[in-house]
Amino acid sequence: MEQCASVEREVDKVLQKFLTYGQHCEQSLEELLHYVGQLRAELASTAVQGTPLSATLSLVMSQCCRKIKDTVQKLASDHKDIHSSVSRVGKAIDRNFDSEICGVVSDAVWDSREKQQQTLQMAILEHLYQQGMLSVAEELSHSAGLFLPRWAVSHRQRLLELNSSLEFKLHRLQFIRLLAGGPEKQLEALSYARHFQPFAHVHQREIQVMMGSLVYLQLGLEKSPYCHLLDNSHWAEICETFTRDACSLLGLSVESPLSVSFASGCVALPVLMNIKAVMEQRQCSGVWSHKDELPIEIELGMKCWYHSVFACPILRQQTSDSNPPIKLICGHVISRDALNKLINGGKLKCPYCPMEQNPADGKRIIF
């Protein structure tokens, strides 16, 4: 993100100059108005007295005109300097960011333009929903004709399979909200407590604590031994639980795919731009033509490790569904394409040990 930081530094310089210029301009104009006001008063006094304009006053008038001219020229010069600073921001953007990044890959690598647009819109839509920007997401959904499956109310069985306590915590928050309403909400809270029955065998202790808090409802829960029930941390906890469990049920990442893709792109794009320049310099056309494989390996860090991968030690290629890893009898693992290339006379000799074997004895490995 050094490129963003570099542009941000130039923007900070411009903002600081705008602030300094505004303060200096205001001070200079105030001093000038005060000086002109004094001169005007002296001229008015001379006119009332009917006396001719003295040489001293004429000199003061000349100095005032010169002062006005110098002040205006100085402010104009400072304003021109700000224009050059703004221009440097544009140059910093051009210097740090490539205006055309589509050229890092050939058009053949991607699907149709319509498919690209739909994929991007879906990523943006999921991001907006995950960030809680529901109204914006709804607007995009209708305008783009996209519809994502919503979170259903009844997922108790699937949540139980995940050992989730989400439903219980939601009922607990509603019960606490009623308790916070004071004695007037006591009967409603007692009635709502029936929702805890399905969870009594798992959350018995917590239910007992909440029911015990009813004793102090008349005195005020915030001054009782149960004041911890009103802690705002319960809301933060339910948000994390809901996000985790809902994403798990929907098969989504807890983090927004758009945020992850953007962060990964910021790391990968400079490397891809460099390899693109090298390929153009050496006229290596057609080197990158696979949709599911980058021309070089790019380290994104442990945070972006989502599943295990295996690269064939023979062909130096990452395995895929069409070219899976194969375990030989001797225990060494190579890709299926490498196995087919090593077959000689119906036999296969392991490239790492002298064991000769039947190619059909190789077993596919699934990570």
Side-chain angles (χ1 to χ4, degrees), residues 77-114:
S77 176
D78 292 343
H79 191 271
K80 185 177 180 180
D81 184 54
I82 292 179
H83 277 281
S84 63
S85 299
V86 173
S87 177
R88 281 195 291 272
V89 174
K91 293 178 181 178
I93 294 175
D94 294 338
R95 183 172 62 253
N96 289 280
F97 298 98
D98 198 302
S99 59
E100 180 55 57
I101 62 175
C102 297
V104 298
V105 295
S106 63
D107 294 336
V109 172
W110 307 106
D111 295 324
S112 63
R113 183 169 294 275
E114 292 76 15

Side-chain angles (χ1 to χ4, degrees), residues 249-262:
L249 291 184
L250 295 173
L252 299 174
S253 168
V254 174
E255 294 187 63
S256 164
L258 184 62
S259 299
V260 174
S261 300
F262 180 79

Side-chain angles (χ1 to χ4, degrees), residues 101-130:
I101 62 175
C102 297
V104 298
V105 295
S106 63
D107 294 336
V109 172
W110 307 106
D111 295 324
S112 63
R113 183 169 294 275
E114 292 76 15
K115 181 65 175 178
Q116 292 180 39
Q117 183 177 3
Q118 184 182 15
T119 301
L120 177 60
Q121 289 174 340
M122 289 290 285
I124 295 175
L125 191 59
E126 290 183 10
H127 176 78
L128 293 174
Y129 275 127
Q130 287 189 268

